[in-house]
């Protein structure tokens, strides 16, 4: 899905990615931000271990380049969400594929969604399909209008 998209369009794919990485069978709970609060990250993944809580923070950005503003925002979330019995296991920012994340510090994880793309889309030329040249005097073959039989239904 290259081209124009909103950050909100990325959320279902992010949730799917997080569920694969943090299965409910291991006690992980995925919490999505309520849209009215501006001091919460887009996603918090947490689980209880005895009297302690382990948390992973995920912020979604549709930007083509990582900026220090993003880092400050995630660090601020980590500060607000930590506590005496709460351990912040990781701080992460999720970008579309093609985003430049080289400026992120090592304590911030970067994930990229392949479904969404930003940046220079023309960096690699598309392969041109090679069509067979029709020989003179031969008519091109037409596809049959006859319906194909669905053998799976018959089995």
């Amino acid at each position: 899905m290259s081209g124009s998209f909103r950050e909100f369009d990325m959320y279902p794919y992010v949730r799917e990615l997080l569920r694969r990485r943090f299965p409910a069978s291991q006690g992980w709970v995925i919490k999505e931000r309520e849209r009215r609060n501006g001091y919460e990250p887009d996603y918090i993944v947490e689980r209880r271990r005895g009297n302690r809580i382990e948390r992973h923070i995920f912020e979604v950005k549709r930007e083509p380049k990582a900026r220090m503003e993003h880092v400050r925002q995630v660090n601020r979330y980590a500060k607000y969400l930590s506590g005496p019995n709460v351990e912040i296991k990781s701080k992460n920012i999720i970008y579309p594929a093609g985003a430049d994340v080289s400026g992120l510090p090592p304590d911030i994880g970067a994930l990229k969604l392949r479904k969404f793309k930003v940046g220079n889309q023309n960096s690699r030329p598309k392969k041109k399909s090679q069509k067979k040249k029709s020989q003179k005097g031969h008519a091109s073959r037409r596809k049959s209008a006859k319906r194909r039989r669905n053998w799976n239904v018959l089995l």
Side-chain angles (χ1 to χ4, degrees):
M1 182 179 261
S2 61
S4 177
F5 59 91
R6 299 173 302 170
E7 186 176 297
F8 185 75
D9 297 333
M10 297 170 65
Y11 289 166
Y13 299 96
V14 170
R15 188 167 183 80
E16 183 182 320
L17 170 79
L18 295 177
R19 182 46 67 202
R20 281 195 310 262
R21 287 183 177 222
F22 301 98
S25 62
Q26 294 179 2
W28 293 107
V29 177
I30 299 173
K31 295 181 178 180
E32 194 168 341
R33 172 178 72 175
E34 295 178 10
R35 301 293 165 233
R36 59 192 152 105
N37 296 333
Y39 62 89
E40 294 177 352
D42 291 323
Y43 290 93
I44 300 170
V45 181
E46 66 182 22
R47 71 175 167 187
R48 287 193 169 275
R49 290 274 178 145
N51 63 347
R52 297 192 53 76
I53 297 174
E54 298 176 345
R55 280 191 178 141
H56 296 270
I57 297 171
F58 293 90
E59 180 66 21
V60 180
K61 298 292 181 190
R62 73 172 286 278
E63 305 287 326
K65 185 175 181 175
R67 297 192 321 232
M68 285 310 293
E69 175 187 326
H70 303 160
V71 174
R72 284 191 295 272
Q73 183 180 20
V74 171
N75 284 331
R76 188 173 61 247
Y77 293 149
K79 179 182 170 188
Y80 292 146
L81 294 168
S82 63
N85 292 335
V86 178
E87 180 184 1
I88 303 297
K89 298 291 264 180
S90 69
K91 301 177 282 187
N92 305 281
I93 305 175
I94 301 174
Y95 291 100
D100 178 16
V101 295
S102 59
L104 289 178
D107 66 327
I108 306 281
L111 295 137
K112 293 184 182 179
L113 284 180
R114 287 182 275 172
K115 179 87 175 161
F116 299 90
K117 293 182 177 66
V118 293
N120 186 1
Q121 297 298 320
N122 298 325
S123 59
R124 261 190 275 160
K126 290 184 178 179
K127 289 184 178 179
K128 293 182 181 178
S129 62
Q130 303 239 343
K131 292 184 179 179
K132 291 182 181 179
K133 294 180 183 178
S134 62
Q135 296 175 356
K136 253 187 177 176
H138 294 287
S140 63
R141 232 176 153 179
R142 297 176 108 186
K143 288 191 175 184
S144 173
K146 190 178 183 181
R147 293 186 83 188
R148 295 184 87 184
R149 201 175 263 192
N150 186 352
W151 292 102
N152 292 332
V153 173
L154 300 175
L155 297 176

